[in-house]
Amino acid sequence: MSQTMRAVDIKNGKGPAGNLFINADTPKPTPTKTQALVKVKYFGLNRMDLLQREGQYPLPPQAPKTLGVEFSGTIESFGNDAEKGFNVGDEVFGLAYGGAYAEYIAVSTHMLIHKPSELSWEECAGIPETWITATQALYLVGAFESGKSVLWHAGASSVSISGQQLSKAGGASAIYATARSDEKCKFCVEELGATAAFNQTGDWAEEVLKATDGKGVDLIIDFIGATTFGSNIKALAKDGVCVCLGMMGGMEVPAGVNIGPLVFKRLRYEGSTLRSRDEDYQGKLRDQLEDHAIPKFKDGTFKVHIETVMDWTDVMKAHELMESNKTKGKIICKIT
């Protein structure tokens, strides 16, 4: 059996999308301990992949250099301490610390889920990172409960698409979103069921206050960072929470931002990540996804919104498409 495989690699170790290429001499991973070796059929793109490609994402120590954290495929073999309930040949999808842009991936069985027959391979490849991230932000960090109101920034991004559906199923009193185009705002309301969506190029925080009769929202999930910091504080209700998951808008808060409401409104502003978490933490989220979300995927309550499926030989174009910020949903690549 060959000890090498094809995998997406980066010329010079980092750089623009044009540096991506398929390396046919990549060492094939060997599963150890709790791991399974999965032959990958499809993988999903995430914004962290762009940052990692540019050398701007700090990798956890257990992550391979190959990009990609979510995938679907079939199990080929196991390590010596794999989780029970999985067998060679099983159709699965899952979350990994890295390595999904490849023909094979070694991943903990604690992060695998059996593929439901009701879902396609493409759909399954677009679930793990986005839905687990949204679940973590909403419940574990944001302490969401039925009856609370929620605002999701970057409303047409995959995590926010997942989050708006989770919020609705969880009994949110109102669901708001922001996006940088009227088309994406319309998508959030008409396709995802948001109460309202606001164009982020305007004073969206003021619009939130108008929509809530001056109260504000109980929970904000933010991927933007510095440029939304002040407006988040303005838009939050008393005892509100903002969960910050990204820094697309930079890391330095603009001058003149008034932090007084942090104290006066008793706000909690918390950052969080998923990829750097240990296997036990991620495994609990996997269990929550499997127990509570998968049944809703099966009956059609939850939907994986896919922008496009591309051959992995076009991975450079796939990255460029994500960088364009014009998508509404997942970009999925098929390994051929």
Side-chain angles (χ1 to χ4, degrees), residues 221-243:
I221 312 296
D222 182 36
F223 310 88
I224 313 302
T227 54
T228 49
F229 185 85
S231 294
N232 286 340
I233 292 173
K234 178 179 177 180
L236 281 169
K238 284 186 177 179
D239 298 307
V241 177
C242 179
V243 180

Side-chain angles (χ1 to χ4, degrees), residues 135-144 268 270 281 284-285 288:
T135 298
Q136 177 203 24
L138 190 66
Y139 288 102
L140 292 193
V141 186
F144 171 77
R268 177 162 65 90
E270 184 169 347
Y281 181 96
K284 291 175 183 176
L285 285 166
Q288 188 171 354

Side-chain angles (χ1 to χ4, degrees), residues 40-332:
V40 179
K41 286 182 174 289
Y42 291 84
F43 60 82
L45 271 65
N46 291 282
R47 195 157 291 273
M48 74 176 78
D49 302 343
L50 308 185
L51 295 173
Q52 182 179 337
R53 188 201 72 218
E54 294 170 348
Q56 297 179 16
Y57 194 99
L59 293 179
Q62 63 271 56
K65 71 170 186 175
T66 302
L67 300 169
V69 297
E70 60 183 354
F71 60 91
S72 61
T74 56
I75 295 177
E76 292 225 338
S77 63
F78 294 99
N80 56 17
D81 193 24
E83 181 179 329
K84 306 302 180 184
F86 291 100
N87 298 289
V88 171
D90 280 358
E91 299 178 345
V92 296
F93 63 100
L95 181 69
Y97 287 108
Y101 286 27
E103 289 184 295
Y104 295 91
I105 186 171
V107 59
S108 170
T109 49
H110 299 315
M111 294 311 299
L112 292 177
I113 297 175
H114 286 100
K115 174 187 171 297
S117 60
E118 295 86 348
L119 296 177
S120 68
W121 289 105
E122 300 97 306
E123 289 173 316
C124 287
I127 291 174
E129 167 65 19
T130 49
W131 284 82
I132 289 179
T133 296
T135 298
Q136 177 203 24
L138 190 66
Y139 288 102
L140 292 193
V141 186
F144 171 77
E145 296 176 345
S146 177
K148 289 188 175 183
S149 57
V150 190
L151 182 144
W152 292 83
H153 280 307
S157 68
S158 295
V159 175
S160 285
I161 288 172
S162 308
Q164 289 167 75
Q165 294 179 72
L166 285 167
S167 301
K168 184 176 181 180
S173 60
I175 304 166
Y176 301 105
T178 70
R180 295 191 63 82
S181 73
D182 292 338
E183 179 189 1
K184 289 184 176 181
C185 289
K186 183 178 179 181
F187 167 78
C188 292
V189 174
E190 296 184 356
E191 296 293 327
L192 304 178
T195 308
F198 311 108
N199 194 313
Q200 205 169 60
T201 59
D203 191 349
W204 62 266
E206 186 62 31
E207 293 299 317
V208 168
L209 292 176
K210 290 178 182 178
T212 58
D213 296 323
K215 176 188 174 183
V217 291
D218 298 311
L219 174 62
I220 293 176
I221 312 296
D222 182 36
F223 310 88
I224 313 302
T227 54
T228 49
F229 185 85
S231 294
N232 286 340
I233 292 173
K234 178 179 177 180
L236 281 169
K238 284 186 177 179
D239 298 307
V241 177
C242 179
V243 180
C244 186
L245 300 179
M247 296 168 287
M248 293 169 58
M251 293 184 285
E252 295 187 10
V253 176
V257 171
N258 178 14
I259 66 169
L262 276 172
V263 177
F264 305 142
K265 292 200 286 187
R266 303 186 297 270
L267 305 180
R268 177 162 65 90
Y269 213 107
E270 184 169 347
S272 187
T273 61
L274 176 62
R275 194 174 184 182
S276 61
R277 304 283 189 170
D278 62 36
E279 190 176 300
D280 288 340
Y281 181 96
Q282 292 192 1
K284 291 175 183 176
L285 285 166
R286 186 276 316 248
D287 293 344
Q288 188 171 354
L289 177 71
E290 187 169 29
D291 294 342
H292 300 290
I294 296 303
K296 288 183 170 61
F297 281 114
K298 289 181 178 180
D299 67 19
T301 302
F302 288 165
K303 181 180 178 181
V304 183
H305 288 260
I306 296 177
E307 173 74 22
T308 187
V309 178
M310 305 174 72
D311 192 286
W312 76 317
T313 57
D314 291 323
V315 65
M316 178 183 69
K317 294 179 181 178
H319 271 233
E320 290 173 341
L321 177 60
M322 177 165 276
E323 288 174 330
S324 74
N325 293 322
K326 296 179 180 179
T327 58
K328 298 188 290 294
K330 294 296 297 188
I331 300 172
I332 305 294

